[in-house]
Amino acid sequence: ALANVIQRLAIDQLHILGDVYDRGPGAHIIMDTLDKYHSWDIQWGNHDILWMGACAGNDACLCNVIRLSLRYGNLATLEEGYGINLVPLATFAMETYADDPCDEFIPKIGKNDKIDEKTVYLTAQMHKAISIIQFKIEAQIFDKHPEWDMKSRAMFKNVDYDKGICVVDGKEYKMKSNNFPTIDAKRPNALTDEEKILIKKLHHSFKVSEKLHKHINILLSHGCMYAVYNSNLLFHASIPLNDDGTLKEIEILGQKYSGKQLMHNTGMLIRTAFQADSDQEEKDYAIDYFLYLWCGKDSPLFDKSKMATFERYFLDNEETYKEEKGNFFKLRDNEEVCDRILDAFDVEGPNRHIINGHVPVHVLSGETPIKANGKLMVIDGGFSKAYHKETGIAGYTLVYHSRGFQLVQHEPFTSAADAIQKETDIKSTTMIVEMSTHRMLVADTDKGKELKTQIADLQELLYAYRHGFIKEQRT
């Protein structure tokens, strides 16, 4: 309790750079904790957007949420946290894929995870069932929105089901397996009657989950696509750029936006999906748009050439798995490009920065989180257990105080209980990123400027009372 009091006094504002969801088994617990926290904000991440889309009624997002939970054998948030009923999916999967080994869909679980063989196989069957449905529904939405230029991601139409091959970019690749009992080769993206009934049940389960809707509303009230605090530009993933590093224009509902306007209008469109009084046509588009934000090549929350989920599941050749990063990730070490982005967002000050996350920093291979001569900091070292082997650490916390920036690098840990019982602390390493000779005062901060404005307003009000411009009301 004493530690919590000190923390509340020491931390004026907690900034979260996205992806509360899909990082482990307790997203609902994190959201409950944040709901009680005194002062915080979040810049939505692609995984947060995925869950928001599922909550708003986008069935492709719903399928992705369930698929990712099954892929990592992590159903606690869905079932225990939000009461999502997966029994209809389990029943459908057992009947439809009874004789299918589902080898490509075996969940990625750790050696210490105690899951029996029967449960692993059932999870794999459910994983395949929801993945097939996901690819179908995604293809239907891509067909509905040709302006997204994503029809090429409707992969089932590229499969020759007799030969067991798939055509990608004009080349033929052998399929790992060719068992698709729910696919009609003539109408590969059409759901079967049983799949339609299943999706209807899952959709209803998400729709009536009060706790899920409560948590998504919390994300909406505390979150946005970007924020600017004390000369620091915060966002989760990227700002779409052209090859030459200039801001790229992206079309939304017939209008083109870039930079600050793109992020603002994207955020407004997201909110439209949850507003009862929204224009129905715009609301329907907003609900569909969650899918583009999740996997669209010019999405500021994705920014890659493609999401190669289908290829990883079904094709043997790893050359098809390549997801080329967008220009922001290629150019973010360029100081001039960072300055151009900061200018576009009206970020001022001699020590201004971009702070984002999304892509884990590979410390093991020598990558540093500090880029563009200190103009940009990547605060993602992989909190999620799945990233620990890849990154070598368990994430970063960036601390901004009166002297400047300190970056705290965390080592992997299991739990606070283990730390107490085994007498091992949660280890971390502190790096000094930027220190100033002038100690920052409250007056130097955004909050200080706001307080100065309030003081000036109060002084004017006091002057008006004293000189009779405003009469005192006596009762």
Side-chain angles (χ1 to χ4, degrees), residues 131-175:
S131 298
I132 300 297
I133 295 171
Q134 174 197 310
F135 295 133
K136 288 182 177 183
I137 295 175
E138 285 180 346
Q140 292 172 16
I141 296 176
F142 296 151
D143 263 349
K144 185 179 174 183
H145 297 285
E147 72 277 10
W148 293 356
D149 190 25
M150 293 189 70
K151 285 188 176 183
S152 62
R153 296 309 302 154
M155 297 299 291
F156 282 141
K157 64 179 174 52
N158 298 334
V159 177
D160 185 321
Y161 297 93
D162 294 326
K163 296 179 180 178
I165 59 170
C166 180
V167 178
V168 181
D169 297 329
K171 292 178 67 176
E172 291 185 355
Y173 296 93
K174 186 180 179 182
M175 303 280 285

Side-chain angles (χ1 to χ4, degrees), residues 376-439:
L376 185 146
M377 287 172 259
V378 184
I379 312 305
D380 191 341
F383 273 116
S384 176
K385 185 179 177 182
Y387 286 116
H388 291 177
K389 286 183 180 179
E390 191 177 335
T391 63
I393 61 171
Y396 294 110
T397 299
L398 184 65
V399 182
Y400 184 49
H401 51 66
S402 62
R403 291 290 189 195
F405 281 108
Q406 285 182 291
L407 191 64
V408 181
Q409 176 179 301
H410 307 293
E411 299 303 318
F413 64 92
T414 51
S415 68
D418 278 355
I420 295 167
Q421 291 168 5
K422 298 175 184 176
E423 297 183 3
T424 58
D425 206 348
I426 298 169
K427 297 177 182 178
S428 60
T429 305
T430 301
M431 302 161 52
I432 296 175
V433 177
E434 185 177 288
M435 285 295 166
S436 174
T437 52
H438 164 68
R439 187 161 192 171

Side-chain angles (χ1 to χ4, degrees), residues 316-331:
D316 247 336
N317 198 315
E318 291 192 6
E319 74 178 41
T320 64
Y321 304 171
K322 188 177 179 182
E323 300 171 346
E324 187 178 348
K325 292 179 181 178
N327 288 320
F328 173 80
F329 299 107
K330 295 175 183 177
L331 301 172

Side-chain angles (χ1 to χ4, degrees), residues 17 42-46 49 52 219 222-228 233-240 259-260 262-271 289 293 299-302 345 355:
L17 293 179
I42 182 169
Q43 288 67 58
W44 302 316
N46 53 320
I49 286 294
M52 291 164 78
L219 284 181
H222 286 265
C224 55
M225 286 293 292
Y226 79 97
V228 177
L233 172 61
L234 281 55
F235 56 87
H236 175 71
S238 86
I239 304 297
K260 184 178 180 179
L262 172 64
M263 297 295 263
H264 171 76
N265 283 281
T266 298
M268 294 300 289
L269 187 62
I270 288 165
R271 295 183 192 281
Y289 201 68
L293 288 172
S299 163
L301 291 173
F302 182 63
F345 282 82
I355 303 170

